[in-house]
Amino acid sequence: MRVAANGNVGIGTVSPTAKLHVAGDVIVEGNIGAKYQDVAEWVEASAPAPAGTVVVADPYRSNQVRPSTEAYDTAIAGVVSSQPGVLLGEKGDGKVAVAQSGRVKVKVDASFGAIRRGDLLVSSPVVGYAMRSEPVTVGRMPMHRPGTILGKALEPLSEGQGEVLVLLTLQ
């Protein structure tokens, strides 16, 4: 174990680059606490995507995402997170932190309908934005389109564009 002059602690490394830098496996038999509430992963992005941007699997490039461009896109992949609670993978040029679960701020557009707490959200036709999902009726049963759901709004937005906290539940 090494404690650097800047206060970084290294286990299995003599030059720690973070407050706790472990070179090797970690086994935790308790809980891991994180200030932020989402789980994200570093993913190659084929176009710039700032935090809050709704992203989809890029249909032209393997293992990459791009900002959403159409309503109810079934290639929905998640949202670019600014400060994930858990971040998987390795940072790199051209990569963005894509959250797939937890709570994260999402760019939304209420011009397609006011967003209320609890509304299901989907990609909108506005690049990188989500909107309220409108159910379709199948045999007298209102249903939301499978494979398009990003998550549930935890905050309202009555009009215009903005950001709301969303519980991500990709489905």
Coordinates of all heavy atoms in Angstrom, one line a residue, residues 22-92:
V22 N -6.8 1.0 -6.9 CA -6.5 -0.4 -6.6 C -6.1 -1.1 -7.9 O -6.9 -1.1 -8.9 CB -7.7 -1.1 -6.0 CG1 -7.4 -2.6 -5.8 CG2 -8.2 -0.5 -4.7
A23 N -5.0 -1.6 -8.0 CA -4.5 -2.4 -9.2 C -4.7 -3.9 -8.9 O -3.9 -4.5 -8.3 CB -3.1 -2.1 -9.5
G24 N -5.9 -4.4 -9.3 CA -6.2 -5.8 -9.0 C -7.7 -5.9 -8.7 O -8.5 -4.9 -8.8
D25 N -8.1 -7.1 -8.3 CA -9.5 -7.3 -8.0 C -9.9 -6.7 -6.7 O -9.1 -6.6 -5.8 CB -9.8 -8.8 -8.0 CG -9.6 -9.4 -9.4 OD1 -9.6 -8.7 -10.4 OD2 -9.5 -10.7 -9.5
V26 N -11.2 -6.4 -6.5 CA -11.7 -5.9 -5.3 C -12.9 -6.8 -4.9 O -13.8 -7.0 -5.7 CB -12.2 -4.4 -5.4 CG1 -12.8 -4.0 -4.1 CG2 -11.0 -3.5 -5.8
I27 N -13.0 -7.2 -3.7 CA -14.1 -8.0 -3.2 C -14.7 -7.2 -2.0 O -14.0 -6.8 -1.1 CB -13.7 -9.4 -2.6 CG1 -13.1 -10.2 -3.8 CG2 -14.9 -10.1 -2.0 CD1 -12.5 -11.5 -3.4
V28 N -16.0 -6.9 -2.2 CA -16.7 -6.1 -1.2 C -17.8 -7.0 -0.6 O -18.7 -7.5 -1.3 CB -17.3 -4.8 -1.8 CG1 -18.1 -4.0 -0.8 CG2 -16.3 -4.0 -2.5
E29 N -17.8 -7.1 0.7 CA -18.8 -7.9 1.4 C -19.9 -7.1 2.0 O -20.8 -7.6 2.6 CB -18.2 -8.8 2.4 CG -17.3 -9.9 1.8 CD -16.8 -10.9 2.8 OE1 -17.2 -10.9 3.9 OE2 -15.9 -11.7 2.3
G30 N -19.8 -5.8 1.8 CA -20.8 -4.8 2.3 C -21.4 -4.0 1.2 O -21.3 -4.4 0.0
N31 N -21.8 -2.8 1.5 CA -22.4 -1.9 0.5 C -21.3 -1.0 0.0 O -20.4 -0.6 0.7 CB -23.6 -1.1 1.1 CG -24.7 -2.0 1.4 OD1 -25.0 -3.0 0.7 ND2 -25.4 -1.7 2.5
I32 N -21.5 -0.5 -1.2 CA -20.7 0.6 -1.8 C -21.6 1.8 -1.9 O -22.7 1.7 -2.6 CB -20.1 0.2 -3.2 CG1 -19.2 -1.0 -3.0 CG2 -19.4 1.4 -3.8 CD1 -18.7 -1.5 -4.4
G33 N -21.3 2.8 -1.2 CA -22.1 4.0 -1.3 C -21.6 5.0 -2.3 O -20.4 5.1 -2.5
A34 N -22.5 5.6 -3.0 CA -22.2 6.6 -4.1 C -23.1 7.8 -3.9 O -24.3 7.6 -3.6 CB -22.3 6.0 -5.5
K35 N -22.6 9.0 -4.2 CA -23.4 10.2 -4.0 C -24.4 10.3 -5.1 O -25.5 10.7 -4.9 CB -22.4 11.4 -4.1 CG -23.2 12.7 -4.0 CD -22.2 13.9 -3.9 CE -22.9 15.2 -3.8 NZ -22.0 16.3 -3.8
Y36 N -24.1 9.9 -6.4 CA -25.0 10.0 -7.5 C -25.7 8.6 -7.7 O -25.2 7.6 -7.2 CB -24.2 10.5 -8.7 CG -23.7 11.9 -8.4 CD1 -22.3 12.0 -8.1 CD2 -24.5 13.0 -8.5 CE1 -21.8 13.3 -7.8 CE2 -24.0 14.2 -8.2 CZ -22.6 14.4 -7.8 OH -22.1 15.6 -7.5
Q37 N -26.8 8.6 -8.4 CA -27.7 7.5 -8.3 C -27.8 6.7 -9.6 O -28.6 5.8 -9.7 CB -29.1 8.0 -8.0 CG -29.3 8.8 -6.8 CD -29.1 10.3 -7.0 OE1 -28.9 10.8 -8.1 NE2 -29.1 11.0 -5.9
D38 N -26.9 6.9 -10.6 CA -27.1 6.1 -11.8 C -25.8 5.2 -12.1 O -24.8 5.4 -11.5 CB -27.3 7.0 -13.0 CG -26.2 8.0 -13.3 OD1 -25.8 8.7 -12.3 OD2 -25.7 8.1 -14.4
V39 N -26.0 4.2 -12.9 CA -25.0 3.3 -13.3 C -24.7 3.6 -14.8 O -25.7 3.5 -15.6 CB -25.3 1.8 -13.1 CG1 -24.2 0.9 -13.7 CG2 -25.6 1.5 -11.6
A40 N -23.5 3.9 -15.2 CA -23.2 4.3 -16.5 C -22.0 3.5 -17.0 O -21.3 2.9 -16.2 CB -22.9 5.8 -16.7
E41 N -21.8 3.5 -18.3 CA -20.7 2.8 -19.0 C -20.1 3.6 -20.0 O -20.8 4.3 -20.8 CB -21.3 1.5 -19.6 CG -20.3 0.6 -20.2 CD -20.9 -0.6 -20.8 OE1 -22.1 -0.9 -20.5 OE2 -20.2 -1.3 -21.6
W42 N -18.7 3.6 -20.1 CA -18.1 4.4 -21.2 C -18.4 3.7 -22.5 O -18.2 2.5 -22.7 CB -16.6 4.4 -21.0 CG -16.2 5.4 -19.9 CD1 -15.6 5.0 -18.7 CD2 -16.2 6.8 -19.9 NE1 -15.4 6.1 -18.0 CE2 -15.7 7.2 -18.7 CE3 -16.7 7.7 -20.9 CZ2 -15.7 8.6 -18.4 CZ3 -16.6 9.1 -20.5 CH2 -16.1 9.5 -19.3
V43 N -18.9 4.4 -23.5 CA -19.3 3.9 -24.8 C -18.8 4.9 -25.9 O -18.9 6.1 -25.7 CB -20.8 3.7 -24.9 CG1 -21.2 3.1 -26.3 CG2 -21.4 2.8 -23.8
E44 N -18.3 4.3 -27.0 CA -17.9 5.2 -28.1 C -19.2 5.9 -28.6 O -20.2 5.3 -28.8 CB -17.4 4.3 -29.3 CG -16.0 3.7 -29.0 CD -14.8 4.6 -29.2 OE1 -15.0 5.7 -29.8 OE2 -13.8 4.3 -28.6
A45 N -19.0 7.2 -29.0 CA -20.1 8.0 -29.5 C -19.7 8.4 -30.9 O -18.6 9.0 -31.1 CB -20.4 9.2 -28.6
S46 N -20.6 8.2 -31.9 CA -20.3 8.6 -33.3 C -20.6 10.1 -33.5 O -20.3 10.6 -34.6 CB -21.0 7.7 -34.2 OG -22.4 7.6 -34.0
A47 N -21.2 10.8 -32.5 CA -21.5 12.2 -32.6 C -21.4 12.8 -31.2 O -21.6 12.1 -30.3 CB -22.8 12.4 -33.3
P48 N -21.1 14.1 -31.1 CA -21.1 14.7 -29.8 C -22.4 14.5 -29.0 O -23.5 14.6 -29.7 CB -20.8 16.2 -30.1 CG -20.2 16.2 -31.4 CD -20.8 15.0 -32.2
A49 N -22.3 14.3 -27.7 CA -23.5 14.1 -26.9 C -23.3 14.6 -25.5 O -22.7 13.8 -24.7 CB -23.9 12.6 -27.0
P50 N -23.7 15.8 -25.2 CA -23.5 16.3 -23.9 C -24.4 15.6 -22.8 O -25.3 14.9 -23.2 CB -23.8 17.8 -24.0 CG -24.6 17.9 -25.2 CD -24.3 16.8 -26.1
A51 N -24.1 15.9 -21.6 CA -24.9 15.3 -20.5 C -26.4 15.6 -20.7 O -26.8 16.6 -21.1 CB -24.4 15.8 -19.2
G52 N -27.2 14.5 -20.4 CA -28.7 14.7 -20.6 C -29.2 14.2 -21.9 O -30.4 14.1 -22.1
T53 N -28.3 14.0 -22.9 CA -28.7 13.6 -24.2 C -29.2 12.2 -24.3 O -28.5 11.3 -23.7 CB -27.5 13.8 -25.2 OG1 -27.1 15.1 -25.2 CG2 -27.9 13.3 -26.6
V54 N -30.3 11.9 -24.9 CA -30.8 10.6 -25.1 C -30.1 10.0 -26.3 O -29.9 10.6 -27.3 CB -32.4 10.6 -25.4 CG1 -32.9 9.2 -25.8 CG2 -33.1 11.2 -24.3
V55 N -29.5 8.8 -26.1 CA -28.7 8.1 -27.1 C -29.3 6.8 -27.5 O -30.0 6.1 -26.7 CB -27.3 8.0 -26.7 CG1 -26.6 9.3 -26.6 CG2 -27.1 7.2 -25.4
V56 N -29.0 6.4 -28.8 CA -29.5 5.1 -29.3 C -28.3 4.4 -29.9 O -27.3 5.0 -30.1 CB -30.6 5.4 -30.4 CG1 -31.8 6.0 -29.9 CG2 -30.0 6.2 -31.6
A57 N -28.5 3.1 -30.1 CA -27.4 2.3 -30.7 C -27.3 2.8 -32.2 O -28.3 3.0 -32.9 CB -27.8 0.8 -30.7
D58 N -26.0 3.1 -32.6 CA -25.8 3.6 -33.9 C -26.0 2.5 -34.9 O -25.4 1.5 -34.8 CB -24.4 4.2 -34.0 CG -24.1 4.9 -35.3 OD1 -24.6 4.5 -36.4 OD2 -23.4 6.0 -35.2
P59 N -26.9 2.7 -35.9 CA -27.2 1.6 -36.8 C -26.1 1.4 -37.9 O -26.1 0.4 -38.6 CB -28.5 2.1 -37.5 CG -28.5 3.6 -37.4 CD -27.8 3.9 -36.1
Y60 N -25.1 2.3 -37.9 CA -24.1 2.2 -38.9 C -22.7 1.9 -38.4 O -21.8 1.5 -39.2 CB -24.0 3.6 -39.7 CG -25.3 4.0 -40.2 CD1 -26.0 5.1 -39.6 CD2 -25.9 3.3 -41.3 CE1 -27.3 5.5 -40.1 CE2 -27.2 3.7 -41.8 CZ -27.8 4.8 -41.2 OH -29.1 5.2 -41.6
R61 N -22.6 1.9 -37.1 CA -21.3 1.6 -36.4 C -21.5 0.7 -35.3 O -22.3 1.0 -34.4 CB -20.6 2.9 -36.0 CG -20.3 3.8 -37.1 CD -19.6 5.1 -36.6 NE -19.2 6.0 -37.6 CZ -19.8 7.0 -38.0 NH1 -21.0 7.4 -37.5 NH2 -19.4 7.8 -39.0
S62 N -20.7 -0.4 -35.2 CA -20.8 -1.4 -34.2 C -20.3 -0.8 -32.8 O -19.4 -0.1 -32.8 CB -20.0 -2.6 -34.5 OG -20.5 -3.3 -35.6
N63 N -21.0 -1.2 -31.8 CA -20.7 -0.8 -30.4 C -20.5 0.7 -30.2 O -19.6 1.1 -29.5 CB -19.4 -1.6 -30.0 CG -19.2 -1.6 -28.5 OD1 -20.1 -1.6 -27.8 ND2 -17.9 -1.7 -28.1
Q64 N -21.4 1.5 -30.8 CA -21.4 2.9 -30.7 C -22.8 3.4 -30.5 O -23.7 2.8 -30.9 CB -20.7 3.6 -31.9 CG -19.2 3.4 -32.0 CD -18.6 4.2 -33.0 OE1 -19.0 5.4 -33.3 NE2 -17.5 3.7 -33.6
V65 N -22.9 4.6 -29.9 CA -24.2 5.3 -29.7 C -24.1 6.6 -30.4 O -23.0 7.1 -30.8 CB -24.5 5.5 -28.2 CG1 -24.7 4.2 -27.5 CG2 -23.5 6.4 -27.5
R66 N -25.3 7.2 -30.7 CA -25.4 8.5 -31.2 C -26.7 9.1 -30.6 O -27.5 8.4 -30.2 CB -25.5 8.5 -32.8 CG -26.7 7.8 -33.3 CD -26.7 7.8 -34.8 NE -27.8 7.0 -35.3 CZ -29.0 7.5 -35.7 NH1 -29.3 8.8 -35.6 NH2 -30.0 6.7 -36.1
P67 N -26.8 10.5 -30.7 CA -28.0 11.1 -30.2 C -29.2 10.6 -30.9 O -29.2 10.3 -32.1 CB -27.8 12.6 -30.4 CG -26.3 12.7 -30.4 CD -25.8 11.5 -31.1
S68 N -30.3 10.4 -30.2 CA -31.6 10.0 -30.8 C -32.0 11.0 -31.8 O -31.8 12.2 -31.6 CB -32.6 9.7 -29.8 OG -32.9 10.9 -29.1
T69 N -32.7 10.6 -32.9 CA -33.2 11.5 -33.9 C -34.7 11.3 -34.3 O -35.2 12.1 -35.1 CB -32.4 11.4 -35.2 OG1 -32.4 10.1 -35.7 CG2 -30.9 11.8 -35.0
E70 N -35.3 10.2 -33.7 CA -36.6 10.0 -34.1 C -37.5 9.6 -32.9 O -36.9 9.0 -31.9 CB -36.7 8.9 -35.2 CG -36.2 7.5 -34.8 CD -36.2 6.5 -35.9 OE1 -35.4 6.7 -36.8 OE2 -37.0 5.6 -35.9
A71 N -38.8 9.8 -33.0 CA -39.7 9.5 -31.9 C -39.8 8.0 -31.8 O -39.8 7.2 -32.8 CB -41.0 10.1 -32.1
Y72 N -40.0 7.5 -30.6 CA -40.2 6.1 -30.3 C -39.2 5.1 -30.9 O -39.5 4.1 -31.4 CB -41.6 5.7 -30.8 CG -42.7 6.4 -30.0 CD1 -43.3 7.6 -30.6 CD2 -43.2 6.0 -28.8 CE1 -44.2 8.3 -29.9 CE2 -44.2 6.7 -28.1 CZ -44.7 7.8 -28.7 OH -45.7 8.5 -28.0
D73 N -37.9 5.5 -30.8 CA -36.8 4.7 -31.4 C -36.6 3.4 -30.6 O -36.4 3.5 -29.4 CB -35.5 5.5 -31.5 CG -34.5 5.0 -32.4 OD1 -34.5 3.7 -32.5 OD2 -33.7 5.7 -33.0
T74 N -36.7 2.3 -31.2 CA -36.5 1.0 -30.5 C -35.0 0.7 -30.3 O -34.7 -0.2 -29.6 CB -37.1 -0.2 -31.3 OG1 -36.5 -0.2 -32.6 CG2 -38.6 0.0 -31.3
A75 N -34.1 1.6 -30.8 CA -32.7 1.4 -30.5 C -32.2 2.2 -29.3 O -31.0 2.3 -29.1 CB -31.9 1.8 -31.8
I76 N -33.2 2.6 -28.5 CA -32.9 3.4 -27.3 C -31.8 2.7 -26.4 O -31.9 1.5 -26.2 CB -34.1 3.7 -26.5 CG1 -33.9 4.8 -25.5 CG2 -34.7 2.4 -25.8 CD1 -34.3 6.1 -26.0
A77 N -30.7 3.4 -26.1 CA -29.6 2.9 -25.3 C -29.4 3.5 -23.9 O -28.8 2.8 -23.1 CB -28.3 3.0 -26.1
G78 N -29.9 4.7 -23.7 CA -29.7 5.3 -22.4 C -29.6 6.8 -22.6 O -30.0 7.4 -23.5
V79 N -28.9 7.4 -21.5 CA -28.8 8.9 -21.5 C -27.3 9.2 -21.0 O -26.8 8.5 -20.2 CB -29.7 9.5 -20.4 CG1 -29.5 11.0 -20.3 CG2 -31.2 9.1 -20.8
V80 N -26.7 10.2 -21.6 CA -25.4 10.6 -21.2 C -25.5 11.2 -19.8 O -26.2 12.1 -19.6 CB -24.8 11.6 -22.3 CG1 -23.4 12.0 -21.8 CG2 -24.7 10.9 -23.6
S81 N -24.6 10.7 -19.0 CA -24.6 11.1 -17.6 C -23.5 12.0 -17.3 O -22.4 11.8 -17.8 CB -24.5 9.9 -16.6 OG -24.5 10.2 -15.3
S82 N -23.7 13.0 -16.4 CA -22.7 14.0 -16.1 C -21.8 13.5 -14.9 O -20.6 13.8 -14.9 CB -23.3 15.4 -15.8 OG -24.1 15.3 -14.6
Q83 N -22.5 12.8 -14.0 CA -21.7 12.3 -12.8 C -22.3 11.0 -12.3 O -23.1 11.0 -11.4 CB -21.8 13.4 -11.7 CG -21.1 14.6 -12.0 CD -21.2 15.6 -10.8 OE1 -22.3 16.0 -10.4 NE2 -20.0 15.9 -10.3
P84 N -22.0 9.9 -13.0 CA -22.5 8.6 -12.6 C -22.1 8.2 -11.2 O -21.0 8.5 -10.7 CB -22.0 7.6 -13.6 CG -21.3 8.5 -14.7 CD -21.1 9.8 -14.1
G85 N -23.0 7.5 -10.5 CA -22.7 6.9 -9.2 C -21.7 5.8 -9.4 O -20.8 5.6 -8.6
V86 N -21.9 5.0 -10.4 CA -21.0 3.9 -10.7 C -20.7 4.0 -12.2 O -21.6 4.2 -13.0 CB -21.6 2.5 -10.5 CG1 -20.7 1.4 -10.9 CG2 -22.0 2.3 -9.0
L87 N -19.4 4.0 -12.6 CA -19.0 4.2 -13.9 C -18.1 3.0 -14.4 O -17.1 2.8 -13.8 CB -18.2 5.5 -14.1 CG -17.8 5.9 -15.5 CD1 -19.0 5.9 -16.5 CD2 -17.1 7.3 -15.4
L88 N -18.6 2.3 -15.4 CA -17.9 1.0 -15.8 C -17.1 1.3 -17.1 O -17.4 2.2 -17.9 CB -18.9 -0.1 -16.1 CG -19.9 -0.4 -15.0 CD1 -21.0 -1.3 -15.5 CD2 -19.1 -1.0 -13.8
G89 N -16.1 0.5 -17.3 CA -15.3 0.7 -18.5 C -14.1 1.7 -18.4 O -13.8 2.1 -17.3
E90 N -13.5 2.0 -19.5 CA -12.4 2.9 -19.5 C -12.7 4.2 -20.4 O -13.2 4.1 -21.5 CB -11.2 2.2 -20.2 CG -10.7 1.1 -19.3 CD -9.4 0.5 -19.9 OE1 -8.6 1.2 -20.4 OE2 -9.3 -0.7 -19.7
K91 N -12.4 5.3 -19.8 CA -12.6 6.6 -20.4 C -11.7 6.7 -21.6 O -10.6 6.1 -21.7 CB -12.3 7.7 -19.5 CG -12.5 9.1 -20.0 CD -12.2 10.2 -18.9 CE -12.6 11.5 -19.4 NZ -12.4 12.6 -18.4
G92 N -12.1 7.4 -22.7 CA -11.3 7.6 -23.8 C -11.8 8.6 -24.8 O -13.0 9.1 -24.6

